[in-house]
Amino acid sequence: MIVGVPRESFPGERRVALVPAAIPNLAKAGLEVVVEAGAGAGAGYPDADYAAKGAKIAADRAEVFRSADIVTQILCYGSNDRTGRADVPLFRNGQVLIGFLRPLGSIETIQEIASKGVISFSVELMPRTTRAQSMDVLSSMATICGYKAVVLAADTSPRIFPMLTTAAGTITPGRVFVIGAGVAGLQAIATARRLGAVASAYDLRLAAKEQVHSLGGRFVELPIEAKDAEDARGYARAQDETFYKRQRELLGKVVAESDVVISAAVIPGKKPPILVTKEMVASMAPGSVIVDLAGERGGNCELTRPGEIVVEHGVTIIGWFNLASTVPYHASQMYAKNLSTFLQLLVKEGKLQLNTKDDIIRETLLTHGGEVVNARLREFFSMPTLATKEEAQK
């Protein structure tokens, strides 16, 4: 089977789905790799490196789609709402598509992919199990984003992070407050600590407390309790507005005392909760920085403008998204490792194995045979349950 790697077409996207180092392992699994010319250039992987590992270099995008049995991308049509639709005419019946598809965004887009007969897999839906950990691209990209958020904040802040004792006096350490101690938040804590800041964090899941402490951070406990704080996949559950109102009241003092706030509270399939109000922003010292990692979906800060940097009340609010693309070399390396591990599960002896008894394959499979087959997606969009083979035969 042939795996195709087209150049990413989303504006400003610099990552690439597979890196040269991943090719030898794929070859052992009976897979050949075709890479569009220049696909890895933005991430620091020239065509010559791919060719040296045994990949074929295709002259254009159409050739990649024409020759590939499996197309691997970072942002597929679905997550790429700018230029992704241009790929639809290139899809073939029975072709496999793997990448970010934003399945909980638009069911019409997923149905359009299904109508082309494409067998698509959404990497966002990878189960959060020990067995699937090596294929968890969300965690890999969140790690990059958490790191970059702190670096951005440090670069923007008029203060330095570490405590210094000098002949010119003592400089107190920067205070970094992280809201949402998931993968991105924990990496933000670790990075802030490496730079010498005092880091604290809040998460409605009390199970995150131990992880925050293990990284040298202080866990902020609020005298309110969330109901069913964590779902079966380990993500935070949405709470009612009464909870969020009380939460904002209690977080206000911590935010006001912080030099930097990193917000990373994202709930899959839902709009992020507003956790930092405009009044809280106004209470912060001039020169403070907020990096809103939920910016793409509206943001955790009331004053965030998605994709922009704004200054309000003397506070810089960074609402950039797709931060992983700003560190493309290692983001691509991590994504490629996750993806190649998934491909080796999916392809055995050069043949596609659609074993839906395997939870990894079943939960990531979106479309097959012209239908949206993912049970979670059908439930989310209130679609009728698909009949099993046995039921269809009756």
Side-chain angles (χ1 to χ4, degrees), residues 279-333:
E279 290 79 14
M280 291 160 74
V281 174
S283 73
M284 298 178 76
S288 299
V289 181
I290 297 172
V291 182
D292 194 341
L293 290 177
E296 183 176 8
R297 301 180 188 179
N300 296 135
C301 176
E302 190 176 5
L303 298 178
T304 294
R305 293 184 193 170
E308 299 181 28
I309 297 178
V310 296
V311 178
E312 299 282 356
H313 306 292
V315 177
T316 301
I317 305 166
I318 302 174
W320 286 357
F321 45 85
N322 202 20
L323 279 187
S325 182
T326 67
V327 193
Y329 184 89
H330 284 118
S332 298
Q333 178 183 308

Side-chain angles (χ1 to χ4, degrees), residues 27-46:
K28 291 176 184 176
L31 293 164
E32 298 177 34
V33 177
V34 175
V35 181
E36 182 182 355
Y45 299 101

Side-chain angles (χ1 to χ4, degrees), residues 15 19 43 45 140-141 144 324 327-336:
R15 291 171 294 176
V19 301
Y45 299 101
S140 293
M141 297 305 100
I144 297 286
V327 193
Y329 184 89
H330 284 118
S332 298
Q333 178 183 308
M334 295 172 75
Y335 186 92

Side-chain angles (χ1 to χ4, degrees), residues 142-167:
T143 296
I144 297 286
C145 290
Y147 160 82
K148 191 57 184 279
V150 175
V151 173
L152 272 175
D155 185 51
T156 305
S157 175
R159 304 172 176 87
I160 64 172
F161 277 17
M163 182 182 78
L164 295 180
T165 302
T166 73

Side-chain angles (χ1 to χ4, degrees), residues 199-216:
S200 58
Y202 167 76
D203 196 292
L204 57 82
R205 300 163 298 173
L206 285 177
K209 179 178 180 179
E210 186 178 340
Q211 294 171 303
V212 171
H213 285 167
S214 72
L215 293 169

Side-chain angles (χ1 to χ4, degrees), residues 99 101 103-104 110 120-132 135-136 138 231-235 342 345-346 353-367 372-379:
L101 284 118
L104 303 181
I110 305 304
S120 64
F121 290 89
S122 174
V123 295
E124 298 101 312
L125 300 182
M126 189 65 65
R128 303 196 79 180
T129 60
T130 301
R131 180 167 164 263
M135 310 173 210
D136 186 358
L138 277 182
D231 65 18
R233 302 178 75 236
Y235 292 104
F342 180 59
L345 171 71
L346 199 60
Q353 304 291 325
L354 282 182
N355 176 19
T356 54
K357 292 182 180 179
D358 186 311
D359 65 323
I360 294 175
I361 293 174
R362 181 181 63 254
E363 292 189 30
T364 55
L365 180 63
L366 276 191
T367 63
V372 176
V373 298
N374 187 276
R376 180 185 173 197
L377 195 61
R378 295 187 73 88
E379 180 183 0

Side-chain angles (χ1 to χ4, degrees), residues 89-257:
L90 303 177
F91 292 149
R92 298 196 323 271
N93 183 48
Q95 191 170 50
V96 176
L97 178 67
I98 306 173
F100 283 103
L101 284 118
R102 196 180 293 162
L104 303 181
S106 165
I107 188 59
E108 290 77 18
T109 300
I110 305 304
Q111 288 173 327
E112 189 175 357
I113 293 170
S115 71
K116 300 293 289 187
V118 171
I119 304 168
S120 64
F121 290 89
S122 174
V123 295
E124 298 101 312
L125 300 182
M126 189 65 65
R128 303 196 79 180
T129 60
T130 301
R131 180 167 164 263
Q133 200 168 29
S134 61
M135 310 173 210
D136 186 358
V137 298
L138 277 182
S139 291
S140 293
M141 297 305 100
T143 296
I144 297 286
C145 290
Y147 160 82
K148 191 57 184 279
V150 175
V151 173
L152 272 175
D155 185 51
T156 305
S157 175
R159 304 172 176 87
I160 64 172
F161 277 17
M163 182 182 78
L164 295 180
T165 302
T166 73
T170 299
I171 295 173
T172 57
R175 294 161 297 183
V176 176
F177 180 43
V178 177
I179 304 176
V183 176
L186 291 172
Q187 185 57 228
I189 294 166
T191 304
R193 293 283 296 143
R194 289 189 198 104
L195 290 175
V198 173
S200 58
Y202 167 76
D203 196 292
L204 57 82
R205 300 163 298 173
L206 285 177
K209 179 178 180 179
E210 186 178 340
Q211 294 171 303
V212 171
H213 285 167
S214 72
L215 293 169
R218 179 177 69 89
F219 190 77
V220 175
E221 292 192 57
L222 304 181
I224 51 172
E225 186 176 345
K227 297 178 181 178
D228 298 321
E230 188 173 83
D231 65 18
R233 302 178 75 236
Y235 292 104
R237 288 187 188 274
Q239 303 293 308
D240 59 28
E241 184 52 34
T242 302
F243 175 88
Y244 288 128
K245 182 180 179 181
R246 179 61 176 154
Q247 186 184 59
R248 288 191 291 267
E249 291 172 358
L250 295 169
L251 285 176
K253 185 174 185 294
V254 186
V255 169
E257 294 172 347

